């Protein structure tokens, strides 16, 4: 889910929607969060409720993580 002051049809918002859809289809999980634009060029991940101790906030499957080794 995206909350922002960036207009609905804005390219930045469209691309962020596409990223979130791709992330979920790849097995990514972020059930209690929302991505917000904090400036025209910066985004942040915010909790939508209190997070319990030990609860998974974000799960990103290793095969979609891009790191230095994969970038070689």
């Amino acid at each position: 889910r995206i909350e922002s002051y960036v207009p609905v049809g804005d390219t930045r918002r469209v691309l962020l929607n596409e990223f979130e859809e791709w992330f979920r289809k790849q097995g990514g999980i972020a059930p209690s969060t929302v991505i917000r634009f904090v400036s025209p060029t910066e985004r942040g991940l915010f909790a939508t409720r209190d997070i319990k101790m030990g609860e998974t906030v974000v799960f990103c499957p290793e095969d979609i993580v891009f790191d230095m080794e994969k970038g070689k």
Side-chain angles (χ1 to χ4, degrees):
R1 299 178 314 261
I2 298 173
E3 295 179 2
S4 92
Y5 298 102
V6 176
V8 173
D10 188 284
T11 301
R12 294 167 292 178
R13 191 164 178 163
V14 171
L15 291 172
L16 195 51
N17 279 328
E18 289 174 0
F19 167 77
E20 284 192 314
E21 183 178 336
W22 172 83
F23 180 74
R24 283 190 304 274
K25 285 181 178 178
Q26 300 304 312
I29 301 169
S32 303
T33 63
V34 62
I35 297 174
R36 292 184 183 143
F37 281 87
V38 294
S39 81
T41 59
E42 298 175 314
R43 292 131 189 98
L45 185 68
F46 296 84
T48 57
R49 61 175 177 76
D50 290 342
I51 306 297
K52 298 175 186 171
M53 180 74 75
E55 181 178 357
T56 299
V57 177
V58 175
F59 170 77
C60 186
E62 187 175 341
D63 60 322
I64 66 170
V65 174
F66 188 79
D67 60 20
M68 293 293 288
E69 289 300 312
K70 292 179 182 176
K72 289 182 179 179

